[in-house]
Amino acid sequence: MVQLHTPLPLTIIVVAVAAALVGLIIERFGLRPLQNSVRIAPLLATIGISFVLDQLVMLTFSPNPRALPSQLPDVRFQIGGGTIGPLDLLIAGVGITSALLLFVFLRYSKLGWAVRATAQDRDAAMQMGVDVNRVNQAVFGIAAALGGVSGMLVGMYYNQIDTAMSLQATLKGVVAEVVGGAGNVPGAVIGSLLLGLVESYGVAVFGTSYRNLFAFLLLVVVLVLRPNGLFASARQAPPEPLTGTFIAPSRPVRIPRWALLVAAAAFAILPLFPVSFYVLQTLINAWLLGMLALSLTLVAGTIGQVSLGHAALLAIGAYTSALLSLSFAVPVGLAIIGGGLMSAALGTALISPSFRLRGHYVSIATLAIGEIVSLVILNWESVTRGPIGISGIPPLSLFGYDLVSPSSVYWFSLAVMVVLALLQARLLGSHLGRSFRAIRDDDIAARAYGLSLNRYKSLAFIFGGFAAGVSGGIAAHLYSYINHETFNTQQSILALTVVILGGLGNVVGAIVGSVALVGLPELFRIAAEYRILIYGIVLLLLVRFRPQGLLGTM
């Protein structure tokens, strides 16, 4: 619209209408078919949709930043010790006007009453004659329009836009919404102001690199102390658990033991044949992802704690192993084990405050904690070397022998993954595994039978954190260089996609999903730039047509 030199009011209207249409399409084709699916399905579907939209925008307009100049006069007015410009006034005016209109709509219109009724109890609203599909359409249309206008104003404020801004903008919106209280319009406004103040004071005292750290710390504190938000009504019911509807009912595919042995032997002897380095490197990446998937399938699939920040465990293990081997001359094998132990201990300690949360707030909390770990790594320069990262990490070695050939690295990573898989299978077959599944299926009933929920959740994260930490440690010595961006949110979502693909709680499924999701895109190098798009589409198709995964849930 800037290139067409359209007037600013017309640009705002066009952006709002276009965004609203996208929202309507998402609701109709992405989420409405999931109305009768498991309760975790809409959350997973929106993650997949966000991946698809991000990649489509990137492929259409290129990932390079684009200028978005403001059409307003470039003047500033002195007010006290600060200044304010026309763009600041426009942003404030649009925000306040939107909040007032939304408040009046929800409080005084019949459609607004229907929206609130559907949010409180969809089934009861349907019984009272509310057309919930029409309500959902209205909500997504309004929300998408507001999001589109907001994105335009953010771009005008920073004078540029790029395809990477969506994730951080979404996370900030989630922070403001949770802090203020879900469904509370005044709370959302005040939560946004509080978030802005916290970030501003954090930047003023510590520097710009701490901006997001304070935002996510605020989110975690509010989630732990007041999950419904600071300004939620005292009569508002606490969030419901995902009890009994977390995993799609299915009969898992039982693979004969002899078939598993044959498959393991085939992969073990593969380097003895004339295969390319590229194939071995692809499978090494699959084994590393398989270790992370084993960790996540235990936490999300077996005990029901959906983690969207699992890459933080990779980072903790990688940095611990790298620092132990570089700074303290610890043998690489022991350093990797140390990384696993540190990831298990520190990861469990960080995530433990979220054990008292329910519903989707668990996923939000783990996502925030994952971002906090990345930002701490970025800013703790005396230990992690900050944005420079750690280079010169020693290569993999075992009993004093460096593993430098592709085949030796392949065998080492495969052996570690198989050992972790066997240990986890043994764990799931024990009374601990049965207790984990009991908590996942119905935590209230499990508590009534005397199970300590926090204790068993801690045990699950300890076992899962060790596997993820070992994977991160191996990756650090394989890459020889890591920084705060090496293990990001995309890897957490990729691991979740793998777990769903194989089947939640399914050990063999986690490995099969890793090979499938890493190997298939690599077979078609022409599709390399579409990798993330493929992941998003796979996640959407799985949630829609095969939520139990390829091998079924357990």
Side-chain angles (χ1 to χ4, degrees):
M1 298 300 290
V2 173
Q3 296 177 349
L4 297 176
H5 303 288
T6 57
L8 183 58
L10 178 60
T11 301
I12 294 176
I13 294 173
V14 171
V15 168
V17 172
L21 290 175
V22 173
L24 293 176
I25 294 173
I26 291 174
E27 188 279 330
R28 178 62 185 86
F29 299 102
L31 297 177
R32 188 181 300 182
L34 303 176
Q35 286 182 351
N36 298 319
S37 301
V38 292
R39 291 184 56 195
I40 196 66
L43 174 63
L44 300 178
T46 54
I47 294 172
I49 290 171
S50 68
F51 268 51
V52 171
L53 290 179
D54 278 351
Q55 291 302 302
L56 288 178
V57 171
M58 185 179 299
L59 294 172
T60 303
F61 300 102
S62 84
N64 299 321
R66 291 194 173 196
L68 183 61
S70 173
Q71 301 181 33
L72 299 174
D74 187 16
V75 296
R76 307 293 296 181
F77 305 102
Q78 189 75 27
I79 300 178
T83 61
I84 190 171
L87 182 57
D88 302 314
L89 296 175
L90 175 64
I91 293 174
V94 171
I96 294 173
T97 302
S98 300
L100 288 174
L101 292 175
L102 189 60
F103 179 79
V104 171
F105 166 73
L106 292 174
R107 182 60 65 95
Y108 299 107
S109 71
K110 290 185 178 181
L111 183 56
W113 298 340
V115 170
R116 295 163 62 189
T118 303
Q120 291 179 3
D121 194 325
R122 176 177 174 271
D123 293 333
M126 291 178 63
Q127 293 175 1
M128 297 299 294
V130 175
D131 186 349
V132 295
N133 290 332
R134 178 170 170 262
V135 167
N136 290 336
Q137 279 186 328
V139 168
F140 270 85
I142 294 172
L146 292 174
V149 173
S150 174
M152 187 195 75
L153 294 176
V154 169
M156 290 173 59
Y157 185 82
Y158 290 106
N159 291 320
Q160 71 171 22
I161 54 174
D162 65 83
T163 55
M165 64 186 291
S166 59
L167 176 61
Q168 288 299 321
T170 300
L171 294 179
K172 294 298 180 65
V174 170
V175 173
E177 184 262 348
V178 172
V179 169
N184 190 314
V185 176
V189 175
I190 299 175
S192 301
L193 292 174
L194 181 60
L195 174 62
L197 289 174
V198 169
E199 286 189 347
S200 298
Y201 279 109
V203 169
V205 175
F206 297 99
T208 56
S209 60
Y210 285 83
R211 179 190 304 275
N212 293 335
L213 178 59
F214 285 99
F216 292 116
L217 284 174
L218 175 64
L219 172 61
V220 172
V221 170
V222 171
L223 281 173
V224 171
L225 299 180
R226 195 173 174 84
N228 284 341
L230 297 178
F231 304 98
S233 171
R235 297 174 296 175
Q236 182 174 335
E240 296 182 7
L242 300 176
T243 298
T245 57
F246 178 76
I247 287 183
S250 68
R251 179 175 297 177
V253 178
R254 299 291 181 181
I255 301 178
R257 183 171 297 180
W258 64 265
L260 295 176
L261 292 175
V262 169
F267 279 116
I269 65 175
L270 182 64
L272 301 178
F273 294 89
V275 295
S276 67
F277 166 78
Y278 176 73
V279 172
L280 292 181
Q281 184 61 51
T282 299
L283 288 174
I284 290 171
N285 292 333
W287 305 147
L288 294 178
L289 180 60
M291 298 178 208
L292 179 63
L294 287 171
S295 169
L296 186 56
T297 201
L298 176 65
V299 170
T302 305
I303 206 166
Q305 298 288 110
V306 181
S307 173
L308 298 181
H310 227 62
L313 300 177
L314 286 175
I316 294 172
Y319 270 85
T320 300
S321 183
L323 291 173
L324 286 175
S325 59
L326 277 175
S327 303
F328 301 96
V330 176
V332 171
L334 293 178
I336 291 174
I337 295 175
L341 294 174
M342 178 61 75
S343 181
L346 185 57
T348 304
L350 290 173
I351 205 65
S352 59
S354 71
F355 290 163
R356 62 190 296 267
L357 300 177
R358 290 182 163 190
H360 301 316
Y361 290 120
V362 176
S363 302
I364 296 173
T366 55
L367 178 62
I369 291 171
E371 292 293 321
I372 289 172
V373 169
S374 176
L375 292 167
V376 169
I377 291 174
L378 170 64
N379 290 286
W380 199 1
E381 297 186 14
S382 61
V383 174
T384 64
R385 305 180 189 179
I388 298 176
I390 301 178
S391 59
I393 302 173
L396 289 170
S397 64
L398 188 63
F399 304 120
Y401 296 95
D402 290 341
L403 306 178
V404 292
S405 66
S407 58
S408 61
V409 175
Y410 174 91
W411 278 319
F412 177 76
S413 57
L414 174 62
V416 172
M417 186 196 66
V418 170
V419 170
L420 291 174
L422 292 174
L423 291 174
Q424 188 159 316
R426 177 62 178 169
L427 171 68
L428 296 181
S430 67
H431 74 282
L432 278 176
R434 292 188 290 273
S435 299
F436 290 163
R437 287 188 287 269
I439 293 172
R440 175 197 69 192
D441 293 337
D442 195 330
D443 61 352
I444 298 175
R447 188 187 298 121
Y449 274 92
L451 296 181
S452 174
L453 303 187
N454 289 351
R455 180 182 302 173
Y456 282 99
K457 289 178 182 178
S458 297
L459 288 173
F461 269 95
I462 288 172
F463 290 124
F466 179 78
V470 168
S471 176
I474 295 174
H477 294 280
L478 183 62
Y479 301 156
S480 77
Y481 170 78
I482 55 174
N483 65 10
H484 69 286
E485 295 180 339
T486 305
F487 309 101
N488 52 31
T489 303
Q490 281 191 351
Q491 284 193 291
S492 297
I493 305 303
L494 172 59
L496 185 60
T497 306
V498 166
V499 168
I500 298 172
L501 175 61
L504 283 163
N506 195 314
V507 173
V508 178
I511 299 174
V512 171
S514 300
V515 174
L517 212 56
V518 171
L520 290 180
E522 294 291 346
L523 292 178
F524 307 98
R525 294 302 297 167
I526 191 173
E529 60 180 319
Y530 303 103
R531 186 189 311 272
I532 303 301
L533 179 62
I534 292 172
Y535 294 155
I537 293 175
V538 168
L539 181 57
L540 281 173
L541 293 177
L542 284 171
V543 172
R544 176 66 179 90
F545 298 106
R546 184 74 182 178
Q548 65 269 39
L550 296 177
L551 300 185
T553 57
M554 299 184 67

